Amino acid sequence: MIKKRLAPSLLVLFLVTLAGFTLFSNTLRTMTLPKVITEKPSPGPMNHLVEGNGVVSPGQQDDLISESGWKVTKVYVKQGDSVAKGQALVAFDGTELEQTLLDEEASRRKRMLEKEDVEEQFKVAMQHGDEDAILKAKRDLQTYRLDEETSARKINALRNELEQKKMLTAPYDGIISDVQAREGLRVPQGQKALSLVSPGKGFEVSFTVRADSAALLMLEEEIPVSVILGGQTKRMNGRVAEFKDRPSDGANGDGTGTQGISAAQRIVVVALAGEELKGGEQASIRIEKPSLQEGMVLRKEYTKNDGKGRYVFVVQENKSSLGNAYYAQKKYIRVLDETAEELVVEGLHEQMDVITESSVPLQDGNQIRLQ
């Protein structure tokens, strides 16, 4: 009788003990599973950071060259000076050409004296009726007249050349830039003595950015530009004036070299205006622009690649009476847009738990435990 009364109790105890051992065993096994951290993807939009650095340059800048290669005797201007049309900028030593001009003028005077002698001979020949002497005198006078015309043209050319080469003057009102001429030194013939900027043409800066970031800007769009003036940063309004293609060098505009939709770069030319600008100032842009693509946004570091494409691991939950089990599931995604750090993708939804960190490398189907 006692055994019959104890049997149900013993059965219950056995089942409780068995369940306890099972739970304990499952707990121990769970503790040995890879531990992961998850994050839910968020719906867009994703912001692109359009940034770049450049140097302010004038819209029109002309290099004024040394046409002679002569030694510089005086530099009248310095970097940043405002000058008027016709103002003297650089003086050159024209001694050699001046001497050539003086020699030519002296030779001309000498030939004029010789011409006077021939004219006197012509008069004498006319008085004596010497036909041969008269004919010779006429030929000599004609030769002197031709020589005089040639000499006059040569002297005028030498004077014009001396006037043009001895003094470099401003061809228009402008601002002096990049002075290369140095007093006492020669500027090689055909080389730049200095540059002249036309302030009326404004200024511009060229920024090299990612092609997909440049696509978010529009021609004539106004954008903020930071310019270093007098050691301080000043915010100026710029205008997108032009886009230029630049061949891809295999790296993104941010220098990360990450692979993606496009690693090509474009040059964005931004027009600037300001009386304080002279050219040569450092400038930069940093603008956030929303992506044109809509999807789920997640960090690029959470993704991986294999032969089939880009994917992430997401958590798959299996429910049972003994407890829920969690598994890592490979989920392929399609990239719609990207920055250096983030992606806009298709193939995920807001309720998915994307595995962002794991205590050990994962394989598709691995059982895991959530932190």
Side-chain angles (χ1 to χ4, degrees):
M1 291 293 295
I2 296 176
K3 289 182 179 182
K4 288 182 179 181
R5 288 197 301 269
L6 290 177
S9 300
L10 291 174
L11 179 60
V12 171
L13 180 61
F14 173 76
L15 293 176
V16 170
T17 304
L18 181 60
F21 277 118
T22 301
L23 291 174
F24 181 70
S25 175
N26 287 340
T27 301
L28 287 178
R29 188 168 62 86
T30 300
M31 294 300 293
T32 63
L33 296 176
K35 182 173 64 175
V36 301
I37 299 175
T38 64
E39 181 179 302
K40 293 185 183 299
S42 60
M46 176 184 70
N47 285 330
H48 279 270
L49 182 61
V50 184
E51 59 181 342
N53 299 291
V55 178
V56 176
S57 60
Q60 177 184 341
Q61 176 172 304
D62 295 297
D63 293 337
L64 306 186
I65 65 172
S66 168
E67 297 183 358
S68 63
W70 296 341
K71 183 185 296 184
V72 176
T73 58
K74 183 70 175 178
V75 178
Y76 296 98
V77 293
K78 63 182 182 298
Q79 176 92 9
D81 283 353
S82 296
V83 296
K85 181 179 180 179
Q87 181 175 332
L89 307 178
V90 181
F92 297 94
D93 182 4
T95 302
E96 294 180 5
L97 188 58
E98 288 173 344
Q99 189 60 52
T100 301
L101 176 59
L102 291 174
D103 291 345
E104 186 61 32
E105 290 174 338
S107 295
R108 184 185 183 191
R109 289 193 296 270
K110 180 181 177 181
R111 286 191 292 272
M112 291 179 66
L113 292 174
E114 292 174 349
K115 178 186 174 184
E116 290 176 0
D117 289 341
V118 173
E119 288 174 342
E120 187 64 30
Q121 293 172 9
F122 176 73
K123 291 178 183 179
V124 172
M126 290 290 291
Q127 291 173 358
H128 291 82
D130 188 342
E131 293 297 330
D132 291 338
I134 291 173
L135 183 61
K136 181 178 183 304
K138 285 183 177 180
R139 287 197 300 266
D140 290 343
L141 286 173
Q142 184 63 29
T143 299
Y144 278 115
R145 290 191 189 99
L146 294 174
D147 288 344
E148 185 176 353
E149 291 176 2
T150 302
S151 179
R153 288 195 300 269
K154 186 174 182 180
I155 288 173
N156 286 335
L158 288 171
R159 286 173 178 169
N160 290 335
E161 183 181 2
L162 184 62
E163 182 180 358
Q164 292 174 1
K165 293 183 176 180
K166 190 173 182 180
M167 186 68 69
L168 186 63
T169 59
Y172 53 80
D173 295 350
I175 300 172
I176 298 299
S177 171
D178 192 20
V179 180
Q180 296 292 321
R182 299 290 184 270
E183 293 183 7
L185 300 178
R186 293 179 182 271
V187 177
Q189 186 175 15
Q191 297 297 310
K192 177 174 65 176
L194 50 78
S195 296
L196 185 64
V197 173
S198 175
K201 300 296 183 179
F203 295 84
E204 62 183 31
V205 192
S206 294
F207 302 102
T208 300
V209 303
R210 289 172 54 106
D212 49 4
S213 296
L216 301 174
L217 301 174
M218 299 178 61
L219 281 175
E220 303 302 321
E221 179 181 352
E222 289 193 358
I223 61 174
V225 180
S226 297
V227 182
I228 305 298
L229 292 170
Q232 296 184 343
T233 301
K234 181 175 180 179
R235 187 183 178 93
M236 305 183 72
N237 289 327
R239 176 180 55 82
V240 178
E242 186 181 2
F243 295 102
K244 298 179 181 179
D245 291 329
R246 176 176 175 177
S248 174
D249 57 4
N252 291 332
D254 55 17
T256 61
T258 54
Q259 298 179 345
I261 295 173
S262 174
Q265 296 177 320
R266 297 204 77 191
I267 298 173
V268 181
V269 181
V270 178
L272 291 173
E275 295 181 356
E276 62 269 57
L277 294 175
K278 297 184 181 298
E281 297 89 352
Q282 295 293 321
S284 62
I285 55 173
R286 187 178 175 86
I287 311 164
E288 285 195 353
K289 284 281 191 176
S291 171
L292 300 177
Q293 301 291 337
E294 293 186 359
M296 304 307 296
V297 178
L298 74 160
R299 293 188 65 81
K300 187 180 291 185
E301 64 193 64
Y302 301 160
T303 67
K304 298 174 175 58
N305 286 282
D306 63 14
K308 295 182 180 180
R310 182 167 278 182
Y311 66 91
V312 294
F313 281 114
V314 298
V315 177
Q316 179 182 3
E317 181 180 6
N318 291 345
K319 298 181 178 180
S320 71
S321 59
L322 295 178
N324 297 341
Y326 302 95
Y327 297 89
Q329 179 186 19
K330 183 183 288 189
K331 186 74 172 177
Y332 286 96
I333 56 177
R334 187 167 78 91
V335 178
L336 303 176
D337 196 4
E338 67 179 290
T339 66
E341 297 179 349
E342 293 183 319
L343 301 171
V344 177
V345 303
E346 280 184 342
L348 301 177
H349 58 74
E350 295 180 60
Q351 302 305 315
M352 285 184 170
D353 290 308
V354 176
I355 296 175
T356 61
E357 294 183 38
S358 174
S359 59
V360 297
L362 296 176
Q363 298 292 328
D364 188 23
N366 283 165
Q367 188 174 356
I368 55 176
R369 62 189 176 101
L370 304 180
Q371 178 170 308

